[in-house]
Amino acid sequence: MSAIFGIYNRDGKPVSPRLLREMSDSLAHRGEDGADVWHQGSVGLGHRMLRTTPESFDEHLPGSYDGGDLVITADARIDNRDDLLKRLGLNDPAENICDSMIIISAYKKWGEDCASYLLGDFAFVIWDNRNRKIFCARDHFGIKPFYYYYSKAVLAFATETRALFNLPEISGSLNEEMIADYLVDNYEDKAATFYQEILRLPPAHTLTVSPDRLRLDCYYALDPSRESASRTDEEYAEGLKEVFTESVRCRMRSAVPIGSMLSGGLDSSSIACVARNLLAERGKDEPLQTFSLVYDRVKECDEQRYINLVLSQGGFNQHLIPGDKDTPLTNLGAICRHIGRPSIGPGFSSTFGLYEAIASAGVKVVFDGHDGDSAVSYGYKHLDELARAGRWFDLAAEARAAAPLAEMSPFKIMAAYVERYRWKPFLQKHPRVNRVASVGRRLKGRSPVETPNANRFAQRNTLINRTFAERVDLEGRYKAHRSCRSKLPRTTRSDHFQMITTGGQALALEEYDAVTGAFGFEKRYPFWDKRLIEYCLSLPGDQKYRKGWNRFVMRRAMDGILPSEVCWRRDKTDFSANFIDGLANERRESLSCLLINDDDIFNKFFDRNAMHEAYQKLNSNGVEGGDPKTGIDLRAIWEIASLSSWLRQIARN
C-alpha cells in the first residue's frame, strides 16, 4: 500500500520539481515510512513508502539502475521471488534483493513482456532512458490501482486520482457517461473513471509511452477452455488445499504485524485458520490478530456464533467491533473523499469502525476474503449442465438436495429446468411429470437462483433529469447493459469466468485500496491469486456444486482445518437487514440534505421534484417499506445519496 506517481513531458519540457512535491504531499497518507522523487530533464518519478515486507526495509524508491538508464517506481509485492531469482541469475542473498530490483531485472531480460512472468500484486513504472520511453504495468486482477492522464504534451500517473489534480492541464470535468453507467449498475468499462481526462490502466495491461506513441497491451487473459484432468474428489480437494495454502503463505511475507478479517463465513475463516497454522509451523508463538464485526442490535446479521467456533481453536487474538453502530450514511462523505468518486457499495460505512480498530492495533497487513464466492464459484450452473445433457435423474437428485435452500419443492425446481431445456421431448419420455410442467411454464424458464428485478430501472429513471438522460441515452445504455447481462452463460465454467472478469471486481478492489490506504494499512487477498483462480476455473461443475453444497471442493479442502459447523454451514448471512435498519435510524435531515438540494451540480443529474416526492414517500412509508411494491428502491436511494455526497464535495472544491 505504498504510492507511486510521476510525470513525463512528451514535448521535452523539463519536469517541475515543485509539481512532483505537490503530488507527493497529496499522497502522504499512503506512506509513513518515507518519500522521495527522482527527476531528470523531462521525466520525474516519485514514491511514498509503506514498508511491509522484510526486503522493503532496504528498498529505496525511485530506484536508479545501469547508471541511470533505467529508473523504477513501484507499489509491488512479488510472490514468485524464488523462481525469478533463479531464472534471472540474481545470486545475492534473497533478503538483500528487493522486489523492485526483481522487476528491473525481469525488464532487462524480457523487455515489455516482463509483467507476464510476475506473480503478485503490483503497479510499477520504468523510465527507459536508452529507448526514451515510459513502461507501466498493472497486476492480473487490478489489486493495485493505476490512474493516468495523457495528451500530446504530457503523461502523468498516480496511485490515486487526487495526485493528478495538481496538474494544471486537468480541469476535473465530469465523465457523464460513467455517471450514467453508475446509475444503471454498469461497471464494465475497465478504463474509464468519473473524470473525462483521467483513465485507469486496466488489470493485466501494460502501457508504453514515448514522445510519438502511446500503446496499450494486454499481457494476460484467463483461459476459460482449460480443464483439469479427470481426478477423484480427494485429488481435486487436495489440489485446492495446496494452492490455497501457498496463496496464503506467500502473502504472509511480512516484517510487520499481520491480521485477518474474520466474519465467520467460509472464506475469511479459511484464510484465518490456514494463516494461524502456518504461523505455528514457523514456530511463531504470537497469535494471529483477527478483526470481526458483531451485531448486537441487528441480530439477524450477527455471525458471532461462527466466529467463536473459529476462535475456540486457539492461536488468535480477537478484536470485536460493532457493525451496527453506524448508518449507511455515517461515513459516506469520508468514503467518497478517500476514493475520489461515489461508492459502489454501502458496506464501507459499517467497516469504517473495523478499519479504525486495525489502525489502532498497529496492524499493517490484513488478509481479506473478498469475494471468495466468485474466485471459487458457487457452481449453480452445474444444474443447467445436467439439464442440457439430459441427465435428468442426476438433476432430480440435485433438485431434492437444493429444495430446502431454494425454498421450493423439488418438483418446481425440476419443472424450471425441464421448461428451459427441451421439456417437450422429456415429457414424451416421462409422462408422469406432466402434472408439474405448468409450474415450469409459470416460472418462465428461470432458474430458482435467477430472479432479476425488472422494475429497478423504471424506478430510478423517474428520478433522473430528463435532459441528462437524453444527452447520455440513459435508457439505451441500460438496455444494452441488460441485453449483455441477459445472455446467460451456458456452462459452470463460463459463468465462473464471467464472475471473475466483470469490471466491478477491479472497481471494488480500487475502492478497498483507497479506503484502507487512508487508514495506513495494506490489504492482501489470498483468493485473488492467479494460480488459485486458474485452478478453480478449470474444475468441473460437480466440484463447484454437489448435492446442494455450493463451493463443494473448497469445503472438502478445508474439512479438518475449519470447525465442521463453519466448513459445512449451508446458510450465508444477508447483511441487507443492517442496511435497512441503518437507513431507518438515519436522521431525516441527513437524508433530505443528500436527496433534496438546490445545488446546480446535483440538479444537473436529478429531477428535484421527483426526488422530493420519493423522499416524502420514503418518509411516510418508512424505510422498511422500501421494495418494488412501494416504488422505493433503497439501493437506488443509497447510490443517489453517494453520488450526491461526491458531487457536493466537487462543488465545494
Side-chain angles (χ1 to χ4, degrees):
M1 194 225 65
S2 296
I4 62 174
F5 56 93
I7 300 170
Y8 171 35
N9 287 327
R10 302 173 71 190
D11 57 6
K13 291 182 180 179
V15 72
S16 165
R18 176 189 58 79
L19 189 52
L20 290 171
R21 288 195 299 271
E22 290 173 352
M23 295 178 75
S24 179
D25 290 344
S26 65
L27 297 171
H29 57 284
R30 297 186 63 94
E32 63 181 33
D33 296 325
D36 204 355
V37 296
W38 170 94
H39 58 88
Q40 186 177 84
S42 60
V43 186
L45 306 182
H47 193 268
R48 301 288 316 201
M49 177 70 78
L50 179 72
R51 303 189 191 278
T52 58
T53 64
E55 300 79 14
S56 68
F57 281 79
D58 292 321
E59 187 172 33
H60 300 283
L61 290 169
S64 179
Y65 297 85
D66 291 4
D69 280 338
L70 294 175
V71 184
I72 183 172
T73 187
D75 179 13
R77 189 199 68 254
I78 303 303
D79 291 335
N80 57 333
R81 285 175 51 89
D82 292 343
D83 175 61
L84 288 173
L85 291 175
K86 293 177 183 177
R87 299 181 70 172
L88 295 169
L90 297 174
N91 299 318
D92 287 346
E95 60 270 20
N96 296 337
I97 301 175
C98 58
D99 287 349
S100 58
M101 185 184 299
I102 291 176
I103 295 172
I104 277 287
S105 299
Y107 179 77
K108 291 167 67 174
K109 182 177 180 66
W110 296 301
E112 293 181 13
D113 292 332
C114 64
S116 62
Y117 292 88
L118 306 176
L119 289 176
D121 306 337
F122 55 82
F124 65 84
V125 174
I126 295 173
W127 166 243
D128 186 336
N129 187 53
R130 290 173 185 160
N131 296 297
R132 304 302 295 173
K133 67 181 181 181
I134 283 267
F135 176 72
C136 319
R138 190 180 181 194
D139 61 61
H140 304 80
F141 302 113
I143 307 297
K144 298 292 187 180
F146 190 99
Y147 300 95
Y148 69 100
Y149 161 82
Y150 78 95
S151 67
K152 290 183 179 180
V154 64
L155 166 78
F157 65 89
T159 298
E160 294 184 13
T161 57
R162 71 178 77 195
L164 295 175
F165 285 109
N166 290 285
L167 273 72
E169 295 92 338
I170 298 180
S171 66
S173 300
L174 298 183
N175 182 350
E176 291 192 349
E177 291 188 348
M178 189 69 172
I179 292 173
D181 285 340
Y182 175 80
L183 292 170
V184 298
D185 294 332
N186 178 16
Y187 309 124
E188 293 310 309
D189 190 333
K190 299 177 184 178
T193 74
F194 283 80
Y195 302 99
Q196 288 184 12
E197 300 148 315
I198 299 176
L199 296 172
R200 295 182 289 158
L201 182 60
H205 276 69
T206 62
L207 176 69
T208 306
V209 182
S210 61
D212 57 355
R213 191 169 69 155
L214 181 145
R215 191 180 74 248
L216 191 67
D217 293 306
C218 179
Y219 68 83
Y220 170 78
L222 278 168
D223 181 4
S225 66
R226 178 174 168 265
E227 298 182 8
S228 291
S230 177
R231 297 191 290 183
T232 65
D233 287 347
E234 289 73 17
E235 289 172 323
Y236 281 124
E238 189 59 34
L240 179 55
K241 181 166 71 172
E242 181 179 335
V243 71
F244 180 71
T245 300
E246 178 56 30
S247 177
V248 176
R249 187 196 312 276
C250 67
R251 284 165 176 78
M252 293 182 70
R253 184 166 62 94
S254 175
V256 295
I258 296 177
S260 186
M261 303 292 198
L262 179 59
S263 70
L266 179 62
D267 301 329
S268 65
S269 299
S270 296
I271 293 171
C273 288
V274 168
R276 182 269 320 274
N277 292 348
L278 290 171
L279 283 174
E281 288 177 10
R282 294 180 184 179
K284 303 280 187 179
D285 56 1
E286 76 268 18
L288 179 70
Q289 307 285 324
T290 62
F291 299 87
S292 307
L293 290 175
V294 293
Y295 298 82
D296 294 329
R297 190 177 68 252
V298 189
K299 291 295 186 182
E300 55 265 55
C301 294
D302 193 56
E303 296 264 74
Q304 196 161 355
R305 174 185 166 222
Y306 296 106
I307 293 168
N308 288 340
L309 285 169
V310 173
L311 296 174
S312 67
Q313 292 186 324
F316 302 105
N317 183 15
Q318 68 171 355
H319 301 263
L320 302 179
I321 300 96
D324 47 16
K325 179 185 68 172
D326 297 326
T327 77
L329 304 184
T330 302
N331 302 301
L332 187 55
I335 292 167
C336 293
R337 184 170 61 255
H338 292 321
I339 63 179
R341 58 166 171 78
S343 173
I344 65 170
F348 274 113
S349 290
S350 59
T351 57
F352 236 62
L354 190 71
Y355 294 166
E356 289 173 344
I358 292 170
S360 297
V363 174
K364 299 295 184 182
V365 172
V366 177
F367 292 139
D368 191 304
H370 167 70
D371 209 3
D373 300 338
S374 294
V376 178
S377 173
Y378 280 124
Y380 291 127
K381 277 289 174 180
H382 181 52
L383 304 182
D384 295 70
E385 290 177 328
L386 294 176
R388 188 179 296 109
R391 295 169 56 185
W392 302 110
F393 291 105
D394 290 335
L395 181 61
E398 293 289 357
R400 285 195 296 272
L405 304 176
E407 297 182 346
M408 297 175 66
S409 75
F411 289 114
K412 286 188 177 182
I413 294 176
M414 281 294 293
Y417 287 100
V418 170
E419 174 76 10
R420 179 182 292 178
Y421 301 103
R422 301 184 307 225
W423 66 273
K424 287 183 179 179
F426 174 78
L427 293 178
Q428 290 171 358
K429 291 183 180 180
H430 305 277
R432 285 186 293 177
V433 299
N434 258 312
R435 62 190 180 89
V436 299
S438 59
V439 176
R441 284 189 284 275
R442 287 201 300 274
L443 289 171
K444 298 180 181 179
R446 291 202 301 268
S447 160
V449 298
E450 294 158 6
T451 54
N453 179 5
N455 297 322
R456 193 170 183 182
F457 175 72
Q459 294 172 22
R460 296 183 184 206
N461 200 27
T462 61
L463 306 175
I464 307 301
N465 181 298
R466 288 298 90 205
T467 303
F468 163 68
E470 291 169 5
R471 184 166 61 248
V472 297
D473 188 19
L474 188 68
E475 188 167 358
R477 300 179 79 86
Y478 170 75
K479 287 180 178 178
H481 177 50
R482 287 299 303 168
S483 175
C484 181
R485 297 280 294 177
S486 66
K487 296 174 183 176
L488 297 174
R490 293 176 57 83
T491 66
T492 308
R493 188 169 291 116
S494 58
D495 182 57
H496 192 178
F497 177 81
Q498 185 181 82
M499 288 189 295
I500 294 168
T501 58
T502 177
Q505 290 290 2
L507 209 61
L509 290 166
E510 289 161 4
E511 192 159 329
Y512 277 123
D513 181 87
V515 178
T516 56
F519 285 92
F521 66 89
E522 172 184 298
K523 272 195 178 185
R524 298 181 182 177
Y525 306 93
F527 280 100
W528 291 89
D529 183 288
K530 174 177 174 284
R531 297 160 294 186
L532 185 140
I533 292 285
E534 289 176 342
Y535 182 82
C536 291
L537 182 62
S538 71
L539 296 175
D542 67 350
Q543 290 299 314
K544 299 169 185 177
Y545 188 86
R546 176 88 63 85
K547 295 294 187 294
W549 296 106
N550 58 46
R551 296 177 289 171
F552 176 73
V553 66
M554 185 69 191
R555 297 176 191 275
R556 286 185 59 86
M558 292 295 104
D559 199 7
I561 295 175
L562 297 182
S564 181
E565 286 185 69
V566 176
C567 188
W568 295 99
R569 61 179 292 195
R570 287 189 179 273
D571 64 316
K572 185 175 177 68
T573 299
D574 180 2
F575 290 96
S576 60
N578 187 55
F579 171 67
I580 293 171
D581 178 82
L583 279 183
N585 287 285
E586 183 61 70
R587 294 178 303 162
R588 285 296 174 258
E589 57 267 30
S590 298
L591 266 176
S592 63
C593 184
L594 289 171
L595 300 181
I596 306 171
N597 64 68
D598 293 321
D599 292 343
D600 290 340
I601 195 170
F602 179 82
N603 294 313
K604 178 180 179 180
F605 299 106
F606 297 104
D607 184 312
R608 189 181 189 283
N609 293 330
M611 286 299 304
H612 183 79
E613 183 179 339
Y615 173 74
Q616 293 301 325
K617 186 182 292 186
L618 187 68
N619 238 0
S620 58
N621 290 347
V623 168
E624 294 83 351
D627 60 40
K629 293 179 181 178
T630 65
I632 303 171
D633 180 352
L634 294 182
R635 175 63 184 242
I637 292 296
W638 182 86
E639 287 178 351
I640 291 169
S642 178
L643 181 57
S644 172
S645 178
W646 175 65
L647 290 172
R648 294 182 67 170
Q649 290 177 14
I650 290 174
R652 289 196 296 266
N653 293 336

